[in-house]
Amino acid sequence: MKIGKEEVLHIAKLARINLDESEIETFSRQLSNILENFEILDKVDTGNVPPTTQPNPQYTIIKEDKVQPSLERKDVLANAPGKEGEFFKILPVMEK
Amino acid sequence: MTEINTLTVLQAHQLLKTRKVSSVELTRAFIDRIEKIDPLILAMVTQTPDTALKQADEADRRIAGGDIQPLTGIPVIIKDLICTKGIRTTCSSRMLENFVPPYDATVVERLKAGGMVLLGKSNMDEFAMGSSNENSAFFTTRNPWDLSRVPGGSSGGSAASVAAGEALYSIGTDTGGSIRMPASFCNIVGLKPTYGRVSRYGAVAYASSLDQIGPLTRDVSDAALVLSAIAGFDDKDSTSSINEVPEYIQGLNGDIRGLKIGVPKEYFVTGMQPDVKIVIEAAIKKLEELGAIVDTDVSLPSTPAALAVYYILGPCEASANLARYDGVRYGYSFKNSQNIVEVTEKSRQYGFGPEVKRRVMLGTYALSAGYYDAYYLKAQKVRTLICNEFSRAFEKYDVLVAPTSPGVPFKIGEKIDDPVSMYLTDVCTLPVNIAGIPAVSVPGGFSQGLPVGLQIMARPFDEQTLLNVAYAYEQATQYYKKLAPLAVDQPGNGSNKPG
């Protein structure tokens, strides 16, 4: 499977990663090479095989719906790049 | 008397219990040791000597009051992906360089309750993606056996710190071999417990269906002690198991007579170094001499597909888990942006290193419209086949043994430009995470003076048998007693004797 530059840009957009010119070139080559190594899976017969999402599934944990102390607001906001009062501060999402 | 920095946890515990040494003395010795040796090894991202001495003092008071648990007052280094309240947790990434968690991981909470002394946080491949530590955004940790070689990854700093005598034990995480492989490269014991055995709460998520926390220790008894201390149900991790946690150390008797051991032939892969093969074959012979019944004609036919399964599922889960790094709530945030989308796109451009971008993009691609069935769903189905093959094998055998890595520690720079050759170094460890079973790497011998790890795999939640086989081998061979050149007493090496 060949991943061209166009496709790299499309994936980067979906992944919300900006790339510079040299990265586009490198990822095109490397991702193509990695995908080539995935072709081994085409040879595995999985006709009636169900998928596994996690190993050792045992039961569903049910927790009591009880109010518990949450993290301290000031501790959480201490890591925020932008804040104002009790809130995270971000650039406008919608135009005026 | 043994050098203080090469004691086992159990030996140090005895010294603390009999008051031959205090936790403060022990801790000071390790702080000095780190100061002298870490500039060569580069195992630590953050050192916390003040916290350590405060915790050591508390531990001494506890011990004086007659309250001593196996890990009370014992200095530890924790992988910098496990959240420590008030102590920065970087995942060796620019993205989290200044992130200070507002809470402790459950593992840290448990260790604290047991009287932990935290020396600091260890270096790793960024977000645990890598096999050499070269993907750290800060610096590459060196192998104490040969400073020009990698310590393995991703828990390379954790493994190197123990092998260099910087801590009595360390905590790492294993998503595709990230505890076992560096343990193998540094001649220590690395245990990847069953998926669900140890709570993952507070471990920064890479691939949630594969990640597991475990100990890196000097010997098998220590791994047993640490596992008992950190394992068990946690209501903050819905995949953690309610199975009871045994005192694993009580079950170590080294008697493996009559035990059935299988050797899956697919693990002796093409590209395996011949010297490594010789060491592993000798190890298998040793297990036979110890009374085990060995069958070398075992086949797990889907094993060659495991690499592809892992490098689809891991990146797919990573692409979802790492979506949280958006430059808004915490982590690196690009300034001077015009709009909110640009903040995210550029924060991720400059905050993530090349391997993280590669895996996030690979996962995004495999989950995108038109490719989901061909990659993600197909990999999940092959995952079922791999799980079933292990289950069938464990109907016949108590444990399986194989190499941990197809080669000895490689040179820094040797594989970094070729992702596929780097991924191949994990070929013997990945299937274990895919199936969620427990496995351990134990010092297996040497090739050209470099360590070779013996990997032992067992049924889900049968860490007891797993550890006992490792213990039998360790006691019969004593390879773990051979220390890295940098760990032993040499003038100027910064070794310390108990006072």
Side-chain angles (χ1 to χ4, degrees):
Chain A
M1 190 67 165
K2 184 100 181 83
I3 301 287
K5 287 188 186 180
E6 289 278 299
E7 195 132 28
V8 169
L9 285 171
H10 175 63
I11 302 165
K13 188 164 175 262
L14 293 175
R16 287 268 196 274
I17 301 176
N18 193 51
L19 298 177
D20 63 35
E21 211 39 56
S22 72
E23 284 178 309
I24 298 168
E25 174 70 42
T26 310
F27 285 138
S28 164
R29 183 168 40 81
Q30 290 176 335
L31 293 176
S32 304
N33 190 13
I34 293 167
L35 289 174
E36 225 169 80
N37 281 272
F38 292 168
E39 282 166 15
I40 185 172
L41 295 184
D42 300 341
K43 294 182 205 123
V44 184
D45 180 10
T46 50
N48 296 312
V49 183
T52 294
T53 48
Q54 72 120 307
N56 314 327
Q58 40 178 5
Y59 59 100
T60 306
I61 305 264
I62 298 171
K63 248 203 292 199
E64 207 185 324
D65 187 13
K66 206 171 66 187
V67 177
Q68 286 182 20
S70 54
L71 299 172
E72 287 290 332
R73 185 184 288 137
K74 73 169 172 40
D75 294 347
V76 173
L77 283 171
N79 282 301
K83 62 193 160 215
E84 200 173 295
E86 305 178 344
F87 302 101
F88 292 105
K89 189 180 173 186
I90 60 168
L91 289 170
V93 176
M94 283 178 288
E95 303 290 326
K96 271 187 191 159
Chain B
M1 169 151 281
T2 317
E3 298 297 327
I4 213 167
N5 65 286
T6 57
L7 291 171
T8 65
V9 171
L10 197 56
Q11 286 167 338
H13 171 71
Q14 291 302 335
L15 292 176
L16 287 168
K17 203 174 171 181
T18 53
R19 313 284 184 88
K20 291 204 173 84
V21 69
S22 72
S23 177
V24 168
E25 285 171 311
L26 199 61
T27 303
R28 276 193 202 286
F30 280 99
I31 291 170
D32 290 349
R33 174 78 188 160
I34 289 169
E35 199 180 308
K36 284 173 189 145
I37 207 82
D38 204 59
L40 295 175
I41 305 290
L42 303 170
M44 313 274 289
V45 172
T46 302
Q47 298 177 22
T48 55
D50 296 343
T51 304
L53 286 169
K54 202 166 143 258
Q55 289 172 333
D57 188 50
E58 279 164 28
D60 281 334
R61 269 181 281 151
R62 240 176 110 158
I63 295 166
D67 172 21
I68 182 165
Q69 291 172 29
L71 301 178
T72 308
I74 303 284
V76 61
I77 291 174
I78 295 180
K79 187 176 186 178
D80 209 17
L81 155 148
I82 296 173
C83 285
T84 41
K85 187 175 182 175
I87 296 169
R88 86 182 173 135
T89 298
T90 69
C91 288
S92 290
S93 177
R94 294 279 170 224
M95 185 61 86
L96 293 177
E97 195 167 1
N98 300 306
F99 174 67
V100 179
Y103 67 97
D104 274 325
T106 295
V107 163
V108 174
E109 232 171 45
R110 287 186 180 173
L111 290 175
K112 269 187 179 170
M116 165 181 88
V117 174
L118 180 67
L119 291 165
K121 308 291 292 288
S122 52
N123 196 28
M124 51 186 279
D125 287 292
E126 184 178 4
F127 284 104
M129 299 179 190
S131 319
S132 69
N133 250 248
E134 291 163 290
N135 293 334
S136 165
F138 308 137
F139 42 78
T140 299
T141 299
R142 311 290 159 138
N143 191 318
W145 288 83
D146 177 346
L147 296 176
S148 70
R149 291 175 191 271
V150 304
S154 65
S155 312
S158 301
S161 65
V162 173
E166 294 186 347
L168 285 166
Y169 72 102
S170 66
I171 300 287
T173 60
D174 190 316
T175 304
S178 283
I179 288 175
R180 289 160 285 155
M181 196 259 216
S184 161
F185 277 16
C186 293
N187 204 47
I188 61 169
V189 175
L191 171 65
K192 183 252 166 222
T194 309
Y195 183 77
R197 182 69 295 186
V198 179
S199 166
R200 289 179 292 113
Y201 179 74
V204 176
Y206 156 26
S208 307
S209 83
L210 303 161
D211 297 340
Q212 185 61 196
I213 297 174
L216 294 100
T217 58
R218 211 170 283 294
D219 70 6
V220 174
S221 302
D222 285 2
L225 278 179
V226 179
L227 181 61
S228 291
I230 61 174
F233 176 69
D234 172 21
D235 67 7
K236 295 196 188 89
D237 175 0
S238 62
T239 61
S240 69
S241 167
I242 51 166
N243 290 4
E244 223 172 286
V245 181
E247 288 298 327
Y248 293 105
I249 196 159
Q250 305 298 337
L252 301 182
N253 59 20
D255 183 3
I256 57 166
R257 284 172 299 174
L259 203 87
K260 294 190 195 81
I261 296 181
V263 183
K265 57 186 175 201
E266 289 82 4
Y267 283 70
F268 294 79
V269 290
T270 5
M272 187 180 185
Q273 290 172 6
D275 288 13
V276 170
K277 192 170 178 219
I278 290 168
V279 169
I280 299 301
E281 281 168 353
I284 291 162
K285 205 156 188 280
K286 177 57 79 180
L287 291 168
E288 209 161 17
E289 282 167 31
L290 292 168
I293 302 158
V294 176
D295 183 353
T296 53
D297 191 27
V298 180
S299 178
L300 302 172
S302 298
T303 304
L307 191 80
V309 170
Y310 178 85
Y311 280 99
I312 292 171
L313 297 182
C316 283
E317 294 185 25
S319 72
N321 276 325
L322 272 63
R324 71 191 67 179
Y325 304 105
D326 54 6
V328 172
R329 287 156 302 162
Y330 51 89
Y332 172 75
S333 185
F334 184 77
K335 305 290 173 201
N336 308 321
S337 295
Q338 300 308 309
N339 62 66
I340 187 79
V341 174
E342 194 190 0
V343 172
T344 300
E345 288 183 338
K346 291 203 169 159
S347 297
R348 290 160 73 79
Q349 174 178 18
Y350 300 115
F352 290 150
E355 184 62 29
V356 174
K357 287 183 202 170
R358 198 150 43 233
R359 291 198 199 184
V360 166
M361 289 181 50
L362 192 58
T364 303
Y365 175 77
L367 288 172
S368 66
Y371 299 105
Y372 180 93
D373 285 3
Y375 291 111
Y376 186 64
L377 194 63
K378 179 77 184 184
Q380 284 189 317
K381 288 178 177 176
V382 181
R383 183 177 198 174
T384 304
L385 295 177
I386 292 169
C387 292
N388 292 347
E389 285 171 15
F390 272 118
S391 299
R392 275 197 297 275
F394 287 126
E395 281 167 16
K396 239 173 129 182
Y397 309 103
D398 296 300
V399 296
L400 300 171
V401 300
T404 305
S405 169
V408 293
F410 46 91
K411 292 270 187 187
I412 292 170
E414 196 179 316
K415 297 180 194 283
I416 195 67
D417 294 325
D418 180 5
V420 172
S421 86
M422 187 71 89
Y423 296 171
L424 279 166
T425 62
D426 300 332
V427 70
C428 298
T429 47
L430 302 169
V432 161
N433 301 74
I434 291 170
I437 60 173
V440 67
S441 179
V442 64
F446 295 87
S447 161
Q448 308 148 43
L450 293 166
V452 174
L454 174 69
Q455 182 176 217
I456 308 165
M457 302 166 259
R459 298 179 184 103
F461 298 102
D462 195 7
E463 278 85 355
Q464 188 66 76
T465 304
L466 181 73
L467 289 169
N468 199 37
V469 176
Y471 181 73
Y473 181 76
E474 166 191 277
Q475 292 303 308
T477 58
Q478 309 270 318
Y479 289 129
Y480 74 105
K481 285 193 172 162
K482 190 166 177 200
L483 300 171
L486 273 173
V488 291
D489 188 16
Q490 275 164 23
N493 251 1
S495 59
N496 293 278
K497 287 181 168 51

